[in-house]
Amino acid sequence: MSSTPPELHDLIILGGGAAGTAAGVYAGRGRLDTLVLDAMGGGGQMNIIDTIENYPGLTAAMPGPELARQMREQMERFGASLTFDQAESVEADDDTVSVTGAYGRYRGRALIVATGARHRELCVPGEERLQGRGVSYCATCDGAFFAGQRVALIGGGDSAVKEALFLSRIVDHVTVIHRRDRLRAEQVMQERAFEADNIDFAWSSVVTEILGEEKVAGVRLRQVDTGEQRTLDVGGVFVFVGVLPNTEFLGGLIDLDEGGFIVTDIDMRTSHPRIFAAGDVRARSVRQIATAVGDGTTAVLNIQQMLDTETPPRDLARVCEVEP
Ligand code: NAP
């Protein structure tokens, strides 16, 4: 039984977050026939950021979902369309890349993987059982449930400090629990957190258990230098201990690093010549909206060059034609 292969697009972009939409804008303007696949309708992690104030060009803080909406609108204005689907597997040969999604199959001459990353879990007793019952990974989504309560927040990176500041405006008190004696978050955010009246820090401490039966009642802490144990009574636990890449669907097709992030060269090219990667899914030391946008842009401009070499513009081909 033979089936018609799906329509061949110039470019398929997996993921409609910052990297994917930036790629979509440039691809649309480059007149590439581009399909952007995203299971959630785009925006990625921008959707769960309360306010963004470090993206160049923003003269005032902007809610993450609003920046996501504007990016998508800009992309669609230039002709790259967003399709609701989630890639389940990818195959590639010398000429094309095929994507199987939950709802369809898609084919492109090039692919950009911009599927981003998701939160990591702490993996301590009580965490899984109390998810949705006081354990949360998204302050913007769940913060309001904890109004007037004391909460614990774990982590010392940008997400942890940013979300601690967000929560401090809603809840009664936030204790930031960090495994070291200093934060790794952006300096300006650290300064704000240190100044907040209702944020304190449990330094060099790790959570060994989340306590509670039907809902969170507290956390058990261990001081890493002394081994001393103590319990903190809190009604909520927010976990921000880093991210995991969304790369499982690639099934070994391209090279990943030991953490599962996609390895690329400086042009965003992966180990397969037709597959590029951009944004948080890529092995890199910095994960910002600005760097994701840069990745998406770099990937598309290199893809455009690759596709142009394969199909010379008609006028140029005619000029160069040599009569036999
Ligand atoms: P991150 O920068 O990797 O920080 C993770 C934090 O969790 C670190 O402080 C780490 O401690 C701690 N941690 C890791 N595993 C732990 C464990 N098992 N138990 C306790 N603590 C643990 O992750 P992120 O804050 O989610 O940020 C991810 C990326 O997005 C980063 O590149 C970040 O810069 C970026 N980001 C940027 C913004 C922004 O507004 N500019 C906002 C959010 C995220 P150590 O410090 O000891 O390693």
Side-chain angles (χ1 to χ4, degrees):
M1 197 177 74
S2 73
S3 62
T4 323
E7 176 192 352
L8 183 65
H9 299 278
D10 289 325
L11 174 62
I12 296 174
I13 299 170
L14 300 183
T21 7
V25 168
Y26 275 79
R29 290 174 62 84
R31 302 286 183 253
L32 295 180
D33 166 18
T34 303
L35 191 67
V36 183
L37 296 189
D38 191 298
M40 308 297 285
Q45 292 180 78
M46 287 186 288
N47 286 328
I48 58 164
I49 301 178
D50 163 45
T51 51
I52 294 167
E53 48 184 36
N54 55 6
Y55 187 60
L58 297 185
T59 50
M62 185 182 279
E66 176 56 19
L67 183 60
R69 191 194 63 73
Q70 291 192 18
M71 282 188 183
R72 177 177 168 181
E73 198 177 303
Q74 183 188 18
M75 175 182 85
E76 291 181 331
R77 186 152 49 89
F78 291 118
S81 65
L82 196 135
T83 295
F84 282 76
D85 206 347
Q86 178 162 353
E88 292 185 336
S89 64
V90 177
E91 291 163 57
D93 58 30
D94 288 348
D95 303 314
T96 57
V97 183
S98 303
V99 176
T100 303
Y103 305 114
R105 293 195 66 228
Y106 313 89
R107 238 167 28 113
R109 296 167 66 200
L111 177 78
I112 298 176
V113 182
T115 43
R118 61 188 186 277
H119 65 78
R120 279 185 59 204
E121 296 186 4
L122 267 182
C123 302
V124 295
E127 181 182 25
E128 194 180 354
R129 185 170 49 82
L130 292 165
Q131 278 174 15
R133 298 170 177 195
V135 173
S136 169
Y137 305 85
C138 176
T140 322
C141 322
D142 301 329
F145 297 122
F146 300 90
Q149 297 189 44
R150 298 178 75 83
V151 301
L153 184 149
I154 300 124
D158 281 326
S159 301
V161 174
K162 210 168 176 172
E163 302 307 323
L165 283 163
F166 171 75
L167 284 169
S168 72
R169 300 197 293 270
I170 303 173
V171 304
D172 179 51
H173 186 86
V174 183
T175 299
V176 176
I177 300 165
H178 185 36
R179 63 185 180 182
R180 290 190 297 137
D181 63 358
R182 72 191 59 183
L183 301 170
R184 69 163 67 230
E186 201 185 3
Q187 204 61 35
V188 66
M189 303 303 283
Q190 290 195 30
E191 288 164 13
R192 285 183 203 167
F194 294 146
E195 278 166 17
D197 290 337
N198 61 345
I199 299 180
D200 72 353
F201 293 82
W203 298 111
S204 305
S205 301
V206 290
V207 170
T208 53
E209 186 176 355
I210 299 177
L211 307 167
E213 289 304 321
E214 290 304 310
K215 58 189 182 71
V216 167
V219 288
R220 206 185 306 282
L221 299 184
R222 182 171 52 81
Q223 187 78 18
V224 288
D225 36 3
T226 61
E228 188 191 325
Q229 309 238 13
R230 68 185 173 109
T231 300
L232 196 66
D233 295 335
V234 288
V237 176
F238 288 82
V239 180
F240 298 102
V241 293
V243 291
L244 291 172
N246 295 319
T247 47
E248 290 81 358
F249 64 93
L250 290 167
L253 181 64
I254 52 176
D255 290 349
L256 307 178
D257 73 1
E258 66 284 352
F261 292 89
I262 300 174
V263 178
T264 69
D265 66 11
I266 56 167
D267 291 333
M268 308 301 137
R269 207 173 259 110
T270 70
S271 54
H272 190 288
R274 288 192 181 272
I275 304 180
F276 291 65
D280 285 5
V281 74
R282 191 167 83 78
R284 60 181 311 153
S285 59
V286 177
R287 292 193 169 81
Q288 303 286 316
I289 298 173
T291 55
V293 164
D295 283 5
T297 307
T298 306
V300 164
L301 295 180
N302 282 290
I303 286 170
Q304 180 114 47
Q305 222 167 47
M306 176 179 85
L307 299 184
D308 282 352
T309 344
E310 291 172 355
T311 322
R314 201 162 291 154
D315 286 347
L316 185 64
R318 198 178 58 235
V319 170
C320 298
E321 239 166 47
V322 180
E323 291 294 327

